[in-house]
Amino acid sequence: MSHAAVTDAKPASTLRGASLPSWSPYAIAGGSILLGIAISLIGGLDSKIQWGLIAALLYVLGTYVIAARVEGRRQAKDHVATSLVWVAFIVAVVPLVSLIWVTVVRGIKVLDVYFLTHSMGVVADTEPGGGIYHAIIGSLEQVGLATLIGAPIGVLTAIYLVEYGRGNLAKAVTFFVDVMTGIPSIVAGLFILSIMLEFKMQPFGFAGSLALAILMMPVVVRSTEEMLKLVPNELREASLALGVPKWRTILKVVLPTSIGGITTGVMLAVARIAGETAPVLLLVFGNPFINNNPFEGAQASLPLYIYQQFSNSAGSGAAYDRAWAASLALIAFVMILNLGARAIARWKAPKTGR
């Protein structure tokens, strides 16, 4: 027999060892759920949260044991890391889905055209009827004014820190932005309230906008600053090499490149302040009637309306239903803002195709 024939007769070698099939994670997850339920029932555990945590722990342990026996310990560690990511994802998503589901189920009872187009007026909190029209107007005006104040200041501050900021002033601004990011909303409300008391002013909508703008600015600064840092320096250098002034480079090159991220950051800040209750309670005070003027008189807002319906309901089912319906409307309001921001960001983003 020739050498070539002997060579051909040898089995082909491979560097790949045994591996788990693609369906194994689903099988391990299913087995972990069943085993977790069985253990919970035997142990007398009634909470479904406990069932889920036991199943998640069994899934991670089962993944490691099975993968270690089939693929070895090194690959088993990789599978465990992947399983931990999935468990963390599910742990984060389940409360969110549960919250949205409960809000939709309980809020849809009274959420209709009448509810959206009428105010509380002379309707008592314990009586059926009424709506959130006055609260919608108040929220739109207060959040809109806060955005008009906070967004430009935040964006300009971020531009200064990234493009111009050097030395002690930039460090001081960065420090105070970090401090403002963590302050409670009630502190911003107390700050504006102290000014109002100094000038003997009555509650009005614009006062709440000022407090919301204070809460909004550090979020806008931080998000815009990170987006501006992602713009490649080569774009700035190319523009400056052509003799374009720095301010025009920022306006025509840097900002259009990062407009998508900046818009998203602004919308995140708007979503944060849209649900604030404490500063509005201190400064706007609430009003069951329609007040279209944010610069005079007390005004309502959706978060304050929800709080008042829960706190003043005295066990009334109608008030609870209105509170859940207003919560659903507030979630829809924030969702529409985010969808609009994504649409604007996609529309204004620089075109990458030729």
Side-chain angles (χ1 to χ4, degrees), residues 126-284:
T126 56
E127 297 176 355
I132 58 172
Y133 181 70
H134 61 304
I136 292 176
I137 292 177
S139 286
L140 290 177
E141 291 181 347
Q142 293 161 29
V143 173
L145 290 171
T147 304
L148 290 177
I149 298 171
I153 295 176
V155 172
L156 291 174
T157 303
I159 292 175
Y160 165 76
L161 292 175
V162 175
E163 304 293 339
Y164 297 98
R166 301 292 184 274
N168 294 329
L169 179 59
K171 293 179 181 179
V173 172
T174 302
F175 172 76
F176 283 111
V177 168
D178 292 337
V179 172
M180 290 178 62
T181 304
I183 64 172
S185 58
I186 191 67
V187 175
L190 288 173
F191 172 71
I192 301 299
L193 181 62
S194 64
I195 298 177
M196 292 174 59
L197 294 176
E198 185 70 23
F199 291 94
K200 296 181 174 56
M201 303 172 67
Q202 297 297 319
F204 62 109
F206 185 66
S209 298
L210 293 176
L212 296 179
I214 293 174
L215 298 173
M216 182 181 187
M217 281 187 284
V219 180
V220 176
V221 172
R222 272 287 161 258
S223 59
T224 303
E225 188 178 1
E226 295 302 321
M227 290 301 105
L228 294 177
K229 289 179 180 178
L230 292 177
V231 178
N233 285 327
E234 289 78 6
L235 294 178
R236 298 180 176 88
E237 294 171 356
S239 178
L240 294 173
L242 294 174
V244 179
K246 188 170 185 177
W247 69 268
R248 194 171 182 84
T249 298
I250 296 171
L251 187 63
K252 295 294 185 180
V253 177
V254 178
L255 289 180
T257 304
S258 57
I259 188 64
I262 294 174
T263 305
T264 303
V266 171
M267 288 302 103
L268 289 175
V270 171
R272 189 223 165 169
I273 66 173
E276 290 292 346
T277 306
V280 178
L281 179 62
L282 286 175
L283 306 172
V284 182

Side-chain angles (χ1 to χ4, degrees), residues 109-135:
K109 295 179 181 179
V110 297
L111 186 62
D112 52 19
V113 177
Y114 177 87
F115 184 72
L116 296 174
T117 56
H118 286 74
S119 65
M120 290 301 293
V122 295
V123 178
D125 290 335
T126 56
E127 297 176 355
I132 58 172
Y133 181 70
H134 61 304

Side-chain angles (χ1 to χ4, degrees), residues 14 28 32 41 43 67 79 84 92 144 165-166 190-191 194 207-208 218-220 224 268 287 306 308 313 324 341 354:
T14 178
I28 297 173
S32 301
L41 292 176
H79 285 289
L84 287 174
R166 301 292 184 274
L190 288 173
F191 172 71
S194 64
V219 180
V220 176
T224 303
L268 289 175
N287 189 350
I306 297 168
Q308 290 175 337
S313 61
W324 282 109
R354 292 184 178 181

